[in-house]
Amino acid sequence: MLLRKLVLLKRSIFRLLFIIIILLIAVIISIYPPFSVQRVTLDYTSPFSRRDSPQVTSLPFPIPKNYLLIPYKEFVLRTSIACRMFKFEYPQKNPLALHPKYSKYLNGTFRFVIPSKKISYDDIEQFYTDLSSPKYENQEFVPTHTSFASDLTFKNVPYVYKNGMWQPIEVRSFQRTAILVPLQGRDYNAKVFLLNLHAFFRRQLLTYKIFIIEQIYPQNKFNKGRLYNTAFNYIRNRSSLNITCYVLHDVDLIPDDDSNYYTCETKNPKHTTSRIRQLIKAQYVKYYEFLIGGVLILTYDHYKALNGFSNLYWGWGGEDDDLALRVVQQRMCIIRPPAEAAIYSALPHQRGQRNSQRFDLLTWSTIRMHTDGLSNIENLTNIEEIKVLTTVTHLKVNVDVINDAGRSKRTSSAPLERTKTTTLETLFLLKKKDT
Ligand code: BGN
């Protein structure tokens, strides 16, 4: 009897202790919540400053209760954004919709051309108009010289410019591709890009259109995210183009290998910039696994699901990592082509001004993703001029209409260069070492 009472007493003591411990934990959690709720700046009107820490106002939306604060630096250093298991959609050899893999014009690792500094947009236009002339349909077109280069070795792939797109004559392409290239102050890079990339896209038999999205206002603080969102919006509203694949491309990167196919995979965005070499150095450098900057190839649905880029990054750095965090938040992952194909050469240019706020912005990246991006771009930017050549559609964009409201008359930057060069300039063909 006594023994039974003792056992019961012991049980109730344990129960009491258990309840006390639970109560204690509840009290501790209410005093020190596991997810700190901080207030951070979301300053849409004066976005760029050299302040070290952002001016604290408040978020225009509530922070979700159990928002996971990602320690950005540790996270990216330790994490790969690559899909663990994936299969490229195996391209069928379909003559009605040709995948670049089956192009007969592929050339392996390709030596690209560095033209004279005097090359103009018109030169490039003229060059590709000549190259596409029916006159050369059945023969090699290798001009002995042009005003900007000699010894050009681009193959004549039969192409026609039709309904706003460049398309191969011999086959129908697998996808219809828009190439989006943000720009500010790297005009020569843009021309080298155009001269070489047209030839690259043609060797892959793509149906394509290149958009240079140039920021003309403000002059000093680059906002790549806004440029991409603006161009994406512009293109999706032009349904007659029927674009099925978007290539987001840095202007200073030239793909080195023809088997880096510029195709969208329907399931996952594709990051094709695994290794880069600077022109002055021969060695390719591998960047961190979390990087999705450089060249990213995705569908309308992918871009939409991510709500595009954040509009808040002014200056160099971070906007691509922000997009990568959006990818993680959406439980998406990135695929990459084989390492030997995903290689690029980087053209030299001046270093962009670093964005000192990028770390703060990255801290709160994912809670903003549905309110900051493609969804609100229309209130922030304005396309002030559209210049259409066949080799490029040049959009000139004011990316900060809010701060620019006071300007009575819009002063756009200099129009596309129209100067024809007459001097025969030397062409440099880079002797690439195999790495
Ligand atoms: C990273 C930049 C990227 C850039 C790559 C490659 C940041 C965020 C803070 C760590 N990220 O360091 O934007 O594309 O380098 O140059 O600066």
Side-chain angles (χ1 to χ4, degrees):
M1 197 62 181
L2 185 72
L3 192 72
R4 225 181 134 217
K5 272 193 179 162
L6 266 177
V7 170
L8 280 176
L9 187 70
K10 214 170 136 191
R11 267 194 204 158
S12 39
I13 288 175
F14 272 127
R15 264 183 212 152
L16 195 70
L17 265 176
F18 182 71
I19 291 168
I20 291 173
I21 289 171
I22 297 282
L23 280 174
L24 259 176
I25 291 175
V27 169
I28 290 171
I29 286 181
S30 68
I31 299 174
Y32 305 106
F35 304 110
S36 52
V37 180
Q38 295 173 26
R39 303 243 142 214
V40 291
T41 322
L42 260 193
D43 194 350
Y44 280 89
T45 49
S46 61
F48 188 77
S49 91
R50 295 176 129 250
R51 287 194 302 258
D52 282 328
S53 61
Q55 206 178 44
V56 176
T57 54
S58 63
L59 290 169
F61 41 80
I63 298 172
K65 253 203 181 124
N66 46 3
Y67 171 68
L68 184 59
L69 187 66
I70 299 173
Y72 174 75
K73 268 195 171 167
E74 287 140 55
F75 187 74
V76 301
L77 287 179
R78 292 195 201 136
T79 315
S80 166
I81 196 170
C83 307
R84 291 219 182 104
M85 304 263 293
F86 76 91
K87 260 205 226 152
F88 273 99
E89 288 143 39
Y90 194 75
Q92 300 295 317
K93 192 164 186 176
N94 177 2
L96 296 175
L98 194 109
H99 188 282
K101 180 184 166 107
Y102 297 109
S103 164
K104 63 180 182 188
Y105 298 101
L106 300 182
N107 229 321
T109 306
F110 198 78
R111 301 193 294 183
F112 69 94
V113 168
I114 301 195
S116 122
K117 292 256 179 200
K118 286 184 187 159
I119 187 172
S120 70
Y121 287 101
D122 273 357
D123 288 333
I124 298 165
E125 184 73 7
Q126 190 60 52
F127 176 75
Y128 280 104
T129 309
D130 288 351
L131 194 65
S132 318
S133 154
K135 202 161 82 187
Y136 298 105
E137 222 166 86
N138 295 317
Q139 51 177 287
E140 291 257 304
F141 169 77
V142 184
T144 48
H145 75 269
T146 69
S147 59
F148 56 88
S150 62
D151 257 0
L152 280 176
T153 55
F154 295 154
K155 265 235 170 69
N156 176 20
V157 182
Y159 255 74
V160 62
Y161 184 75
K162 212 161 106 190
N163 303 330
M165 304 277 282
W166 278 108
Q167 41 193 287
I169 290 170
E170 301 159 311
V171 294
R172 230 187 80 182
S173 315
F174 166 61
Q175 288 168 336
R176 294 171 67 85
T177 312
I179 295 99
L180 277 48
V181 191
L183 180 72
Q184 190 178 45
R186 293 180 180 172
D187 218 42
Y188 177 62
N189 279 184
K191 291 168 194 164
V192 179
F193 178 92
L194 285 179
L195 182 67
N196 287 284
L197 270 282
H198 273 286
F200 175 83
F201 298 144
R202 288 166 185 220
R203 292 196 297 275
Q204 292 199 357
L205 291 168
L206 304 185
T207 291
Y208 68 96
K209 187 170 181 70
I210 304 180
F211 296 87
I212 283 187
I213 325 143
E214 186 178 9
Q215 179 176 319
I216 54 162
Y217 181 86
Q219 303 264 324
N220 55 343
K221 31 186 184 170
F222 191 45
N223 193 321
K224 203 174 180 180
R226 288 191 184 190
L227 290 174
Y228 273 136
N229 289 340
T230 307
F232 187 86
N233 223 6
Y234 173 86
I235 294 166
R236 75 168 164 177
N237 291 333
R238 268 143 196 87
S239 51
S240 64
L241 291 176
N242 194 13
I243 297 297
T244 58
C245 184
Y246 294 80
V247 178
L248 314 184
H249 213 302
D250 276 1
V251 70
D252 59 341
L253 292 178
I254 311 278
D256 281 343
D257 197 294
D258 275 2
S259 55
N260 189 354
Y261 308 121
Y262 274 31
T263 56
C264 277
E265 304 288 317
T266 48
K267 287 211 181 92
N268 307 96
K270 179 164 77 173
H271 178 239
T272 64
T273 326
S274 297
R275 286 179 299 147
I276 302 175
R277 64 165 172 200
Q278 306 298 323
L279 273 190
I280 30 168
K281 297 174 190 156
Q283 285 303 318
Y284 285 103
V285 172
K286 190 167 178 359
Y287 284 78
Y288 51 93
E289 272 291 304
F290 200 69
L291 178 81
I292 60 169
V295 182
L296 188 68
I297 306 184
L298 35 60
T299 63
Y300 176 86
D301 290 344
H302 297 147
Y303 200 87
K304 192 94 197 304
L306 300 171
N307 194 19
F309 280 82
S310 165
N311 295 311
L312 298 174
Y313 288 77
W314 294 92
W316 182 93
E319 80 294 328
D320 47 353
D321 300 308
D322 186 291
L323 190 74
L325 290 173
R326 290 175 181 225
V327 170
V328 174
Q329 172 73 17
Q330 286 303 92
R331 299 187 181 6
M332 287 158 71
C333 56
I334 297 286
I335 57 180
R336 295 197 169 98
E340 64 277 12
I343 50 174
Y344 286 79
S345 290
L347 305 169
H349 54 69
Q350 282 195 336
R351 195 180 132 118
Q353 192 183 2
R354 298 297 187 258
N355 175 5
S356 62
Q357 293 191 1
R358 63 195 192 279
F359 302 99
D360 296 311
L361 286 165
L362 282 164
T363 307
W364 295 100
S365 159
T366 50
I367 48 169
R368 289 189 312 259
M369 72 171 280
H370 296 296
T371 45
D372 162 30
L374 184 63
S375 56
N376 66 326
I377 190 64
E378 275 170 19
N379 307 322
L380 302 174
T381 66
N382 184 43
I383 301 176
E384 306 216 340
E385 202 183 320
I386 302 169
K387 187 148 211 159
V388 185
L389 300 179
T390 71
T391 40
V392 65
T393 292
H394 198 135
L395 306 179
K396 297 189 175 185
V397 186
N398 175 348
V399 297
D400 196 4
V401 284
I402 295 173
N403 274 324
D404 191 33
R407 278 206 299 170
S408 53
K409 195 166 166 270
R410 306 232 179 272
T411 49
S412 61
S413 70
L416 289 176
E417 288 175 36
R418 291 256 151 223
T419 42
K420 288 252 185 262
T421 42
T422 47
T423 353
L424 174 66
E425 295 287 335
T426 323
L427 168 90
F428 304 97
L429 275 177
L430 280 183
K431 299 267 178 278
K432 290 191 182 178
K433 281 186 204 144
D434 286 333
T435 47

